[in-house]
Amino acid sequence: MTTVRTLLGLPGLRPHPSTAQDLLDRAVTRIYVTELPDPGRYLTAGELVLSGLLWWRAPGDAEPFVAALAASGAAALAASGADAGGIPADVVDTCARHGIPLLEVPPDLSFAVVTERVVLALAAAADGARKRLLTAAAEDAPLDDLLARAAEELGTACWVLSGVPRVVAGTAALPVSAAEPVRQFAAARARPTAAGGLTVLPVESRHAVPWLLAVDGPLSTAQTELAEELAGLVGLARARSRLTAAPLGGQVRAVALRTPDSAEADDVLAELLATTGLAVTPTGSHDHSEALALVADDGSWPAGWADDAVTALSTVEPLLRATRILAGVSDAVPAAESRGAFEVARHALSLAAGREGDVVVVPAAEVGVHQLLLAGTSVDLRAALRRRLLGPLLDYDAEQHSDLVHTVRVFLECSGSPTRAAKALHIHVNTLRYRIGRAAELLGVDLTDFVAQVDVYLTLTSES
């Protein structure tokens, strides 16, 4: 990284005595020559502003000029007082008040020479920065270390974000929600963009869920080039990383995820579960549109995980080929009972497939026990039982164009209460009693008997 102090090693440039030493450590990214009284619209952060002070005529003229430098985040002002009889006190005082380092350019040193020397210094620094980053990557440095070195070279904080979204690594606290830059990146159709004060670049990889490189603040051309180099190195680091599966003990949960029209499920599930911070053991599958995993649950399973998962998956969905993302999760069970947990997760996934929405997550609490019991029987057996028990009722509805089957189901779901069922069906309670009596006659059972109610209800729900 090139700093103001670095440039003081160039022949001719020297700090004005009024400049505080700690201001000399500011990063310099480019040089800009101007004689405009207010150059604010043309300035970017990190610039060394070179001026002959031709804009200065009287005390007070320095305020708009220096204020513009401070607002833009300029690194320093290098000024020549050759045409002003020296650097005016007004300029000196205003720079000190706004915290802008002031450098003196000797009268006999041309701006062309200063510009050339600074440009060469910046180019050499950029080349050195690339080499140092490449060395770090070649040494297989952890991602946190790679970002720390990059932040030093860039002179600003940086982060790697997952499209799920989550912060994979970073050199400081992210100033915005991780979802904000991901959404804006998606809105920009996966192109480099500015979001929430960050510059966001894609990390190239073969993974379905993208990673993004976010760098604090607008970047100069040199910084952008270095950030692009960093994004490529992050992609290589991601490609080298492998999720190591380890047997889980204690309590576990099973999670099933499906991307029905794409082979992205493995990557989506891995990134989603990474947000929990818990140990995960994936289960391989030949069908990459569906993925399964066991997750350790030591009591740290996030409350409201299903809702959080919907939010996270809805954020990344625009960046995927998949048009739907479906997921189901089991209750916590001992690790020895994980096979049963997978069955619950898969059935929750089946329920998700039957619901509307681009992203649907069904927790085990929404899966009825009767649904799980019925899931263990074959389709043919369920059809045979449905015909055996409900045949007369089904035939009656078909012949009379009635809907006694629906009436019976609502009646049973209202715990056999005629009043509640009538209200749910928007009919008079006497009409409800008549229909239930007629259905009982056709079925040959007492629909007020608990065992009969269980048999009929299980059969009614066998196609759900």
Side-chain angles (χ1 to χ4, degrees), residues 198-251:
L198 306 174
T199 297
V200 182
L201 306 170
V203 172
E204 296 297 331
S205 74
R206 295 183 179 181
H207 292 77
V209 177
W211 278 9
L212 309 176
L213 175 65
V215 184
D216 195 16
L219 304 182
S220 67
T221 301
Q223 285 177 308
T224 299
E225 291 175 353
L226 187 58
E228 290 172 347
E229 189 86 34
L230 174 61
L233 296 178
V234 171
L236 291 175
R238 186 183 188 188
R240 287 197 300 262
S241 65
R242 294 289 183 271
L243 180 63
T244 56
L248 300 179
Q251 298 284 104

Side-chain angles (χ1 to χ4, degrees), residues 127-177:
D127 187 53
R130 288 193 191 89
K131 289 179 179 178
R132 287 188 289 272
L133 285 182
L134 287 170
T135 299
E139 294 173 349
D140 203 14
L143 189 54
D144 285 330
D145 292 351
L146 182 61
L147 288 186
R149 296 191 192 187
E152 292 179 4
E153 304 295 347
L154 289 166
T156 188
C158 49
W159 301 264
V160 173
L161 309 177
S162 166
V164 165
R166 66 185 174 96
V167 177
V168 179
T171 59
L174 189 67
V176 297
S177 162

Side-chain angles (χ1 to χ4, degrees), residues 415-441:
S415 303
S417 168
T419 303
R420 288 173 55 196
K423 184 176 180 180
L425 292 167
H426 306 289
I427 60 177
H428 194 276
V429 67
N430 289 338
T431 302
L432 185 283
R433 288 195 176 98
Y434 169 77
R435 291 183 181 178
I436 293 301
R438 183 68 180 123
E441 290 176 8

Side-chain angles (χ1 to χ4, degrees), residues 15 38 90 106 109 113 127 140 147 182 220 235 241 267 271 299 319 339 346 372 382 401 416 434 440 461:
D38 183 356
D90 178 39
L109 184 60
V113 172
D127 187 53
D140 203 14
L147 288 186
V182 173
S220 67
S241 65
D267 198 36
E271 288 292 317
L319 293 169
R339 291 184 62 182
R346 281 197 178 100
L372 294 173
R382 277 181 274 169
H401 303 289
Y434 169 77
T461 57

